[in-house]
Amino acid sequence: MTTFIILLGPPGSGKGTQAERLVGELGVPHISSGDLFRAMKEQDTPLAREIQAIMARGELVPDSATLRVVEARLQEDDARAGAILDGFPRTVPQAEALDGLLAELGGRLAAALLLNITEDEVVTRISGRRVCPACERVYHVVYNPPAAAEVCDGCSGALLQRSDDEPRVVCERYRQYLSKTAPLIEHYRDAGLLVEIDAMRQIEAITPDLVAAVRSRVDAH
Ligand code: AP5
């Protein structure tokens, strides 16, 4: 049985943090469209340069380019049993394309899990976020600090702030979320797939609710 899960929510709502925790619970890979785009940073192609410029402005990458990148990732072997999709789909056309893609792959969407947080919390979480550029682990200076300040617990790399986490870009990312991604909430509610999660709680308190929501959806089929 394939288990494709979507994690929906505003910037900083904890999609990446929870996806990493769900990997062990569900046994399927974490596929983040943002991570796929960031990994293209080293590619010296017009498309890769354009994508980095769009991300730096906090805008959305066009659907056609997004679909090409995500489709290629979904066709890799480790995604045969399913995946936790983080940050994709982000527009209604992307959601419609995902339906077609899953039909081709013989997959089924089990749930769209919406992580609800307030706009103030978006700012608090993103301003304190630190990431390890080497192994991509994500921390928060107060809520999820590394053992030694600014050093990754996993690989001892120096932690950095993401370049699109500066306040002006975060405002634009939130605006884009409200105008282009929030319509997916009704889209997935209408499809009977939406599960709303109170994500204003501690990281450890949220994961069991996500696991339970997914398991009940998978068991129901
Ligand atoms: P992307 O990387 O997907 O960014 P995002 O959606 O804005 O989400 P974030 O990564 O900022 O946050 P998150 O929800 O994963 O939170 P996290 O777990 O890190 O996309 C970046 C860009 O790529 C986009 O702007 C766009 O340009 C492009 N893009 C990507 N996908 C696209 C698509 N499909 N179509 C078009 N363009 C696309 O947590 C945040 C912080 O809070 C961390 O410090 C963490 O430690 C902390 N934290 C997490 N949970 C909690 C908690 N419960 N309590 C306290 N702190 C917490």
Side-chain angles (χ1 to χ4, degrees):
M1 165 69 73
T2 56
T3 308
F4 286 91
I5 310 295
I6 293 171
L7 286 175
L8 270 180
S13 55
K15 301 182 295 294
T17 300
Q18 294 298 333
E20 282 304 313
R21 298 169 67 88
L22 290 177
V23 166
E25 297 282 349
L26 304 177
V28 293
H30 167 202
I31 297 181
S32 153
S33 43
D35 286 349
L36 292 173
F37 292 142
R38 278 183 286 278
M40 293 171 72
K41 200 162 57 189
E42 310 306 331
Q43 295 176 15
D44 191 19
T45 65
L47 177 65
R49 284 194 292 275
E50 176 61 10
I51 286 176
Q52 301 311 310
I54 289 168
M55 290 172 77
R57 294 195 297 269
E59 296 165 7
L60 293 192
V61 175
D63 289 338
S64 55
T66 300
L67 289 165
R68 271 208 303 281
V69 170
V70 175
E71 183 172 347
R73 178 65 186 88
L74 283 174
Q75 282 165 344
E76 289 179 26
D77 281 350
D78 66 338
R80 271 196 199 162
I84 300 154
L85 300 174
D86 156 13
F88 175 88
R90 230 172 175 102
T91 63
V92 172
Q94 288 181 18
E96 289 166 351
L98 176 64
D99 290 344
L101 195 54
L102 291 186
E104 274 173 35
L105 295 170
R108 188 183 64 83
L109 205 50
L113 307 170
L114 172 63
L115 300 179
N116 278 318
I117 65 168
T118 62
E119 186 175 355
D120 283 351
E121 186 70 3
V122 169
V123 174
T124 304
R125 290 195 189 172
I126 287 193
S127 59
R129 173 162 54 189
R130 298 290 182 277
V131 294
C132 176
C135 71
E136 294 176 356
R137 265 169 93 154
V138 177
Y139 300 87
H140 188 280
V141 289
V142 176
Y143 299 141
N144 183 25
E150 307 295 336
V151 176
C152 178
D153 294 344
C155 72
S156 302
L159 303 183
L160 298 175
Q161 268 195 297
R162 249 168 62 177
S163 57
D164 62 345
D165 278 355
E166 71 167 86
R168 190 180 43 83
V169 182
V170 174
C171 280
E172 179 57 22
R173 284 164 56 200
Y174 191 67
R175 213 180 61 79
Q176 297 268 336
Y177 170 77
L178 293 179
S179 64
K180 296 182 180 156
T181 307
L184 287 179
I185 296 171
E186 288 316 309
H187 177 88
Y188 285 118
R189 200 193 307 279
D190 290 348
L193 290 168
L194 189 78
V195 180
E196 294 202 56
I197 302 286
D198 172 9
M200 293 289 287
R201 296 170 293 153
Q202 290 190 345
I203 293 170
E204 299 73 22
I206 296 165
T207 314
D209 287 359
L210 296 172
V211 173
V214 174
R215 294 234 162 97
S216 72
R217 297 285 169 141
V218 170
D219 291 347
H221 280 81

